[in-house]
Amino acid sequence: MKRIAVLVSGGGTNLQALIDAQKSGIIRSGEISLVIANNADAYALTRAANAGIASEVVLKKQLGSQAAFEEKIKELLTAYAIDVIVLAGFMSILSESFTSCYPKRILNVHPSLIPSFCGEGFYGLRVHQAALDYGVKVTGATVHFVNEIPDGGEIILQKAVEIQPGDTPEILQKRVMEQAEWKILPAAVEQVCSAM
Ligand code: GAR
């Protein structure tokens, strides 16, 4: 069993999808051993507690710098003997000095079909707003390995989702989560854990 850490910032619906996938056996080659939040108010922390998963809060403001923030996360990953790191709605870009320590060990879920609507500044509802502004008729989600290029690592899984007339960023976000993110993230985690 690989030991998985999930890094979160907010609501944690992707974390919930991972917890549910572990319960239902979709994830069977790894176990979620730690949740790290960069926001003390993240509802994802409640989801972790409800599932009996250890959690830690790491605040960049308190630590004073990006380097100290990443060092603290690294310490926790070592302390919990983590093998695989999943960024699930983690709204902080990790530097090369962090990502280079875990080659092909960090996964991220992004709410578009990379290479569209991705990179620095594209996160959360902004991604869906950009897709609607552009007028694309198909969007989706991508799970990829994380390297030093934001949203630039090797793609593991993607799933397309249709845009409907009258979509708002909120409506589209929900459809992309339900039809794509909550399915491909657990599938990709199992794929990576089982291949390690
Ligand atoms: C998800 O849509 C995720 O793909 C996106 O933020 C949302 C988090 O929701 N991530 C990014 O935009 C990263 N660039 P959640 O907290 O409910 O999982």
Side-chain angles (χ1 to χ4, degrees):
M1 280 282 217
K2 299 299 162 197
R3 290 174 61 80
I4 302 164
V6 185
L7 275 55
V8 298
S9 300
T13 66
N14 280 290
L15 168 65
Q16 191 65 54
L18 293 169
I19 293 168
D20 295 346
Q22 185 171 292
K23 278 194 190 128
S24 71
I26 292 170
I27 296 176
R28 54 187 182 282
S29 305
E31 60 181 348
I32 306 166
S33 308
L34 174 65
V35 169
I36 299 178
N38 68 345
N39 161 18
D41 300 324
Y43 185 67
L45 290 167
T46 302
R47 297 180 190 274
N50 289 342
I53 300 167
S55 65
E56 301 276 355
V57 176
V58 180
L59 302 175
K60 182 150 67 181
K61 256 194 178 162
Q62 218 169 56
L63 292 161
S65 69
Q66 181 70 20
F69 173 69
E70 292 181 357
E71 216 36 62
K72 182 71 205 174
I73 296 175
K74 277 201 228 171
E75 274 174 29
L76 290 169
L77 296 173
T78 303
Y80 284 80
I82 296 301
D83 302 300
V84 175
I85 303 154
V86 181
L87 311 185
F90 187 63
M91 302 302 179
S92 179
I93 293 179
L94 296 163
S95 76
E96 180 168 11
S97 80
F98 183 94
T99 60
S100 63
C101 295
Y102 309 98
K104 294 214 177 172
R105 292 291 183 272
I106 315 173
L107 288 72
N108 178 48
V109 60
H110 182 77
S112 75
L113 293 175
I114 290 174
S116 289
F117 314 119
C118 64
E120 229 169 317
F122 286 97
Y123 56 86
L125 284 171
R126 288 174 183 228
V127 178
H128 303 293
Q129 183 70 63
L132 292 173
D133 288 347
Y134 203 96
V136 293
K137 303 304 174 206
V138 176
T139 185
T142 304
V143 179
H144 62 92
F145 285 119
V146 174
N147 64 10
E148 68 285 359
I149 304 157
D151 296 326
E154 183 188 326
I155 291 172
I156 304 165
L157 288 176
Q158 284 189 308
K159 192 165 188 290
V161 174
E162 281 191 16
I163 290 177
Q164 307 286 350
D167 272 355
T168 62
E170 290 79 8
I171 292 170
L172 184 56
Q173 179 182 56
K174 186 156 182 280
R175 189 180 311 119
V176 168
M177 285 175 157
E178 287 174 352
Q179 295 185 6
E181 295 184 50
W182 300 342
K183 293 181 176 165
I184 65 172
L185 183 58
V189 167
E190 174 56 25
Q191 191 178 307
V192 169
C193 288
S194 66
M196 273 175 72

